[in-house]
Amino acid sequence: MDKAGTFEYEIRKDFRNNQIVREVDERRQRDLWMTLGVGVALVGVLLFSAWQHFELLRHGYRLEQMQRDRAAENDINRHLRLEMETLRAPQRIEKLAIERLGMVSPGAAEAVVLERVAPQAAPAKSVVASR
């Protein structure tokens, strides 16, 4: 501090202490390594937890996308089935046959009704080949 009329100074002595060998504190080194190990373990646990969290989010987004894709595919499938049933309709086929191919509808006397043959049950003691 500089007071009026006084002058203070400090002389620093330059000590060369490079010849002094510090003793390694084993306990401090052990504590340092233990703290470092605990820190690395905590960071590892934190990174693993974050990885799991983000993987769960990613799978959730992927699942939502797949559900949207499935719903879209179901809509397309429903539309195609409806179109297929529309194209298979006997009225439409009859109309096309009459208009495009020039066919005529048979009269009641010209039509032949075929009876469907129902398969009969096999006798009790018989061998039936099947595919």
Side-chain angles (χ1 to χ4, degrees):
M1 190 166 244
D2 191 24
K3 295 181 181 177
T6 63
F7 182 73
E8 290 185 15
Y9 62 94
E10 181 180 359
I11 298 175
R12 291 188 174 240
K13 293 183 179 178
D14 187 22
F15 291 109
R16 298 198 179 260
N17 59 359
N18 57 358
Q19 307 230 344
I20 298 174
V21 177
R22 288 188 167 186
E23 185 177 314
V24 176
D25 188 3
E26 295 291 330
R27 184 174 178 212
R28 189 172 180 197
Q29 288 287 331
R30 190 175 42 235
D31 289 345
L32 178 68
W33 283 111
M34 191 165 58
T35 303
L36 184 64
V38 169
V40 167
L42 286 177
V43 168
V45 168
L46 182 68
L47 288 175
F48 183 73
S49 176
W51 174 71
Q52 282 186 333
H53 175 73
F54 289 120
E55 282 294 313
L56 184 64
L57 284 176
R58 192 171 65 87
H59 286 299
Y61 290 141
R62 190 170 170 204
L63 180 64
E64 287 179 10
Q65 180 64 37
M66 290 173 73
Q67 287 173 345
R68 283 193 299 262
D69 291 346
R70 183 177 177 200
E73 294 296 328
N74 281 340
D75 287 344
I76 291 171
N77 188 10
R78 191 175 320 124
H79 177 74
L80 290 175
R81 284 181 185 269
L82 179 64
E83 186 176 337
M84 189 171 71
E85 291 301 321
T86 303
L87 293 174
R88 276 187 183 173
Q91 296 85 6
R92 180 186 166 276
I93 293 173
E94 182 180 0
K95 182 180 174 186
L96 288 176
I98 292 171
E99 291 177 1
R100 290 189 185 174
L101 301 176
M103 294 181 161
V104 291
S105 297
E110 298 170 341
V112 176
V113 178
L114 300 175
E115 290 185 24
R116 177 175 275 178
V117 178
Q120 295 181 0
K125 291 190 173 187
S126 63
V127 177
V128 179
S130 62
R131 291 184 186 189

